[in-house]
Amino acid sequence: MRMRKAWIVARKDFSEFRANKHIIATLAMMPILMSVFSVLIAVPLASLASQEPPPEPDLHLNLLVFYDHVDLKDTTLNNAWVNFSTVLNGIVNVSYINNSTLTNVIAYGSLLDNVSIANGILIGCVLRNSQYGQNSTVMIDTVISGTTTGSRELYKSLLDLMTHSFLLYFFFIMAVAMPTTIASYSFVGEKTNKTLEPLLSTPLTDGELLFGKYIAVFVPVMSLILVAFAIMTALIDLLTAPLLGYLLIPDAVWLVGVFVLTPIICIVGIAMNVYISSKVNDVRTAQQYSALIVLPVLLVFVIGPVTGMGSITVGFMTIIAIAFLGVLAFLVWLNLRRFNREDILTSWK
Amino acid sequence: MSGLAIQARGLTRLFGNKTAVQDVSFDVAWGQVFALLGPNGAGKTTTMRMLCTLLRPTAGTAEVGGFDVTTQPINVREQLGLLPENPGLYESLSAERNLRFYGEIYGVPPSKLQGRIEEILKTLEIYDRRGDKIAKFSKGMRQKIAIARALVHEPRILFLDEPTASLDPEASKVVRDFILQLKARGGTILLNTHNLYEAQRLSDRVGIMNTRLVAFGSPHDLADRMWSRSTEVTLKTPDARFVTAIEALGFVKGVRREDGRLIVSMDDPDNDNPRLAEALVRAGAEVVSMKEREHSLEDIYLKLIRGDEAK
């Protein structure tokens, strides 16, 4: 195969894209929105994660009762010191709870140290190194500190989840969704404009024609994705580095994601679209099918985290990249094997 | 250059159960213009597509420029320039960009390509519009650009499928004149048309198709094969005694009256017409005109196609 010939086909398609401003506009829309969206998510989270906790108030505890290693049920505790105990269905007033579990409890003006709370309502408390979950409500004036879930660390982990999973997913989605606009048109467009017959009468081989069509879609789509990545990285780092004290992105996950996995996903999407385009007879049908292509790719990235089999790590992406390379090899083989000039030429509507 | 430009042997193409082309054989020599004539659906475009390697023959073989259309399709395509029935140009690109793309695909060296594009656009009188998008062009101009595209790489064989279909008379004339220029320069052309005037004017030989090849040869040869030669005589006052006088001549095979003229059948009008004139004058006839009767391609075509359909 002569790559120079494929490049000539691709350059012709670039010229057609350039001549049609709507194609460029629709292509550029997604990465631009993506960049803005990323900044809108990352900056507030970084701001929350960087906040210093307020100083703990002096609760003026006057502890009168002491409970140690007991199970308390349907109890009201006033000025109590509860140690290594469980409290079920109770009210805790101005007490000190240490290394205990509270369930269905309303706590007021108390110091909770290393406590696990379920279905709790905390009003004006100090919460240190504790966990509150399961429908608990933290009312105003409650101060959270230490490694307590829900504190600054929660925002940090949320920021990490957003930047290393959620935003990266969007790049994968862009890589598979953006080519549909133009790849689904690659052969159908030539058919409907009646340009296919003279094109097929040239000395181009099937491979040169197909790879020309791949390149024609891959280059603009990946260029826009990389530009979006550069803009997003610059904006996020510019706005979050002063808050966090370090550069949020890029890191190894992002670099592998954007420079290895995204191009592979992109070309898999293109190969699927080009295959469909060579098999159908009108643009609408091609685009309907192309819309479905996004689903299996989305599924791969949803199944992993949902089943706990893999958050987005370099290792997870390497596995997915190898799997997609296999899919790509199959699609290229399928495209070459099933590319039938006669069918394409004689099945015009 | 040796051998034949195009050689088709028993070309057959089926689409499902429908036979589009059946057992078509013909040769086209280098430098010849060959026209395939036939009604719509006669298989002309299918035959051309098989020769251009766009369709594979169901049976039979063909060579174009010495290469087999089935086993050497790339070599075949390197030799030819195709003007399809529909111009099929990239509407959003300029005329020049369309030609450049095809020139590059055919491997015309960059140093030569610009000059070639300019030359051909000037010949077709559209050089001033080279930068305009095809979308702004009229049908006639699009057809000119499509012809330019077929010629940009200087192909050895040109395939023209209905080159003047859907063009107005003025644009048709420009295209026909250009084909005549190519013919004068020794171009080898296969022309598909159902325009009989065009075929008669442009081609050296014709093939009349109706799924199969009904007849093949020069229009003159075909007429000779189908009709005996005859001389058309116009007399000032036609009279039965003049018919009797010429029927008595030994070389005359038959006489009939047609629209007030006498149609005299004979084998060799070139030799016998002077003796015919002499006999008529001796019989007292006043001869207004005498000429050998010619059969147009239309006469040939209609007789062959009607005869074929009656079978």
Side-chain angles (χ1 to χ4, degrees):
Chain A
M1 193 179 68
R2 301 158 294 184
M3 281 311 288
R4 198 175 59 81
K5 297 279 181 187
W7 180 242
I8 291 168
V9 174
R11 273 186 23 234
K12 184 273 293 174
D13 280 4
F14 297 155
S15 301
E16 284 195 281
F17 301 154
R18 272 202 303 273
N20 190 336
K21 292 183 178 64
H22 294 294
I23 293 177
I24 301 293
T26 49
L27 264 186
M29 196 66 79
M30 201 183 275
I32 289 171
L33 290 174
M34 174 65 211
S35 302
V36 173
F37 184 55
S38 307
V39 172
L40 289 178
I41 288 177
V43 173
L45 280 175
S47 174
L48 289 168
S50 65
Q51 279 178 2
E52 286 299 322
E56 291 176 9
D58 183 0
L59 295 175
H60 304 291
L61 298 174
N62 179 22
L63 303 174
L64 304 172
V65 193
F66 179 70
Y67 296 99
D68 188 32
H69 290 90
V70 292
D71 293 329
L72 300 165
K73 192 177 177 188
D74 304 324
T75 310
T76 299
L77 300 168
N78 292 313
N79 303 102
W81 180 355
V82 179
N83 210 20
F84 295 102
S85 300
T86 61
V87 180
L88 178 64
N89 306 333
I91 297 170
V92 177
N93 285 322
V94 203
S95 299
Y96 172 56
I97 314 293
N98 184 39
N99 291 308
S100 297
T101 302
L102 307 181
T103 306
N104 301 334
V105 166
I106 299 171
Y108 175 77
S110 299
L111 173 60
L112 283 69
D113 208 344
N114 203 18
V115 173
S116 177
I117 305 149
N119 298 331
I121 298 173
L122 309 177
I123 304 165
C125 297
V126 171
L127 203 64
R128 286 190 198 139
N129 303 321
S130 297
Q131 290 185 345
Y132 61 93
Q134 300 176 27
N135 307 320
S136 295
T137 307
V138 179
M139 303 298 284
I140 47 174
D141 299 333
T142 292
V143 175
I144 302 163
S145 65
T147 55
T148 307
T149 308
S151 70
R152 183 169 62 145
E153 281 66 30
L154 176 70
Y155 293 122
K156 274 189 179 168
S157 59
L158 196 56
L159 183 65
D160 187 58
L161 182 73
M162 286 307 236
T163 50
H164 290 95
S165 292
F166 195 63
L167 296 183
L168 200 48
Y169 283 148
F170 272 101
F171 274 79
F172 301 146
I173 292 166
M174 280 200 297
V176 74
M178 281 172 65
T180 58
T181 322
I182 46 181
S184 60
Y185 193 71
S186 57
F187 281 105
V188 176
E190 300 268 7
K191 282 183 206 177
T192 52
N193 295 329
K194 311 267 192 263
T195 50
L196 198 61
E197 188 171 358
L199 185 63
L200 292 178
S201 73
T202 64
L204 285 171
T205 63
D206 295 349
E208 287 158 2
L209 193 52
L210 280 166
F211 284 111
K213 293 293 182 187
Y214 285 11
I215 297 167
V217 185
F218 182 77
V219 170
V221 168
M222 272 315 294
S223 301
L224 284 168
I225 286 177
L226 292 178
V227 167
F229 173 64
I231 292 171
M232 185 195 78
T233 305
L235 284 175
I236 287 179
D237 284 341
L238 193 72
L239 296 170
T240 62
L243 299 170
L244 299 170
Y246 59 91
L247 296 179
L248 196 57
I249 51 173
D251 57 10
V253 169
W254 269 96
L255 292 176
V256 172
V258 172
F259 291 100
V260 177
L261 191 51
T262 303
I264 293 171
I265 292 173
C266 181
I267 203 140
V268 165
I270 292 168
M272 285 181 177
N273 278 293
V274 169
Y275 180 74
I276 290 166
S277 188
S278 68
K279 293 289 166 196
V280 300
N281 293 311
D282 70 278
V283 178
R284 281 170 302 179
T285 312
Q287 286 178 344
Q288 292 283 14
Y289 277 118
S290 298
L292 298 176
I293 288 172
V294 182
L295 294 177
V297 177
L298 273 180
L299 209 59
V300 169
F301 290 101
V302 170
I303 283 173
V306 164
T307 57
M309 283 163 63
S311 56
I312 297 202
T313 60
V314 171
F316 176 71
M317 283 191 293
T318 306
I319 293 166
I320 296 294
I322 291 166
F324 272 114
L325 279 175
V327 173
L328 179 61
F330 171 73
L331 285 170
V332 171
W333 172 82
L334 189 71
N335 259 332
L336 285 170
R337 186 165 175 82
R338 300 294 302 275
F339 187 80
N340 189 324
R341 287 167 180 255
E342 285 201 22
D343 279 355
I344 293 172
L345 199 62
T346 55
S347 62
W348 286 351
K349 277 181 181 172
Chain B
M1 223 182 305
S2 61
L4 293 163
I6 302 171
Q7 192 175 36
R9 292 288 174 270
L11 274 187
T12 301
R13 174 68 201 207
L14 305 177
F15 289 106
N17 295 325
K18 189 177 176 296
T19 304
V21 174
Q22 187 181 5
D23 196 24
V24 167
S25 301
F26 62 85
D27 298 331
V28 180
W30 291 107
Q32 232 176 32
V33 177
F34 177 71
L36 271 178
L37 296 168
N40 290 333
K44 305 186 297 291
T45 298
T46 303
T47 303
M48 189 175 269
R49 284 180 168 178
M50 284 192 279
L51 294 172
C52 292
T53 77
L54 294 168
L55 294 177
R56 287 173 79 89
T58 309
T61 59
E63 282 189 7
V64 173
F67 295 101
D68 189 282
V69 294
T70 309
T71 57
Q72 299 165 295
I74 300 288
N75 302 89
V76 170
R77 294 204 288 268
E78 279 169 351
Q79 317 256 334
L80 61 86
L82 170 68
L83 172 73
E85 199 171 346
N86 195 300
L89 298 161
Y90 297 104
E91 300 268 323
S92 59
L93 304 183
S94 70
E96 191 172 356
R97 183 69 184 90
N98 268 275
L99 299 185
R100 183 170 299 285
F101 169 60
Y102 277 90
E104 287 172 350
I105 286 290
Y106 279 101
V108 179
S111 55
K112 205 178 159 193
L113 184 57
Q114 185 59 34
R116 178 71 189 146
I117 291 171
E118 284 178 14
E119 179 199 343
I120 200 162
L121 289 178
K122 281 175 183 166
T123 309
L124 286 163
E125 297 170 2
I126 40 175
Y127 182 70
D128 293 343
R129 302 285 306 273
R130 66 190 181 284
D132 291 355
K133 286 184 179 177
I134 297 296
K136 294 179 182 171
F137 283 13
S138 66
K139 268 187 180 177
M141 292 188 64
R142 282 166 200 242
Q143 194 71 340
K144 283 183 180 181
I145 299 296
I147 290 172
R149 178 190 61 202
L151 291 167
V152 72
H153 57 293
E154 299 181 271
R156 295 174 77 197
I157 305 163
L158 191 59
F159 288 83
L160 305 175
D161 195 2
E162 304 287 1
T164 58
S166 76
L167 294 186
D168 61 46
E170 197 180 342
S172 297
K173 186 179 181 310
V174 172
V175 170
R176 271 197 293 270
D177 289 348
F178 187 70
I179 297 169
L180 282 172
Q181 280 182 43
L182 294 173
K183 182 182 177 181
R185 281 188 238 153
T188 305
I189 300 171
L190 191 143
L191 174 73
N192 265 2
T193 183
H194 44 216
N195 183 327
L196 300 170
Y197 165 74
E198 190 169 277
Q200 181 142 24
R201 183 142 181 253
L202 300 176
S203 58
D204 300 305
R205 291 204 296 170
V206 297
I208 296 175
M209 275 192 81
N210 200 7
T211 305
R212 59 194 184 80
L213 197 61
V214 179
F216 172 69
S218 71
H220 194 266
D221 289 345
L222 288 177
D224 281 356
R225 265 187 264 157
M226 292 164 65
W227 290 281
S228 61
R229 294 178 76 180
S230 57
T231 295
E232 200 176 282
V233 183
T234 308
L235 301 176
K236 194 168 184 183
T237 43
D239 193 298
R241 64 197 166 93
F242 303 137
V243 174
T244 311
I246 54 179
E247 275 177 340
L249 296 169
F251 58 84
V252 171
K253 295 166 79 177
V255 183
R256 68 177 193 280
R257 294 176 77 159
E258 197 178 285
D259 300 332
R261 288 165 298 176
L262 298 179
I263 309 297
V264 185
S265 297
M266 60 186 88
D267 288 332
D268 190 2
D270 303 333
N271 269 329
D272 297 332
N273 274 351
R275 287 194 283 155
L276 175 65
E278 189 185 341
L280 282 166
V281 170
R282 200 180 301 129
E286 291 175 281
V287 180
V288 177
S289 69
M290 262 178 90
K291 62 173 182 178
E292 185 177 352
R293 190 166 206 204
E294 286 185 355
H295 293 278
S296 68
L297 189 56
E298 186 176 4
D299 298 330
I300 300 165
Y301 174 85
L302 290 174
K303 186 169 180 181
L304 283 169
I305 292 295
R306 282 173 186 163
D308 188 62
E309 282 169 356
K311 280 179 189 171

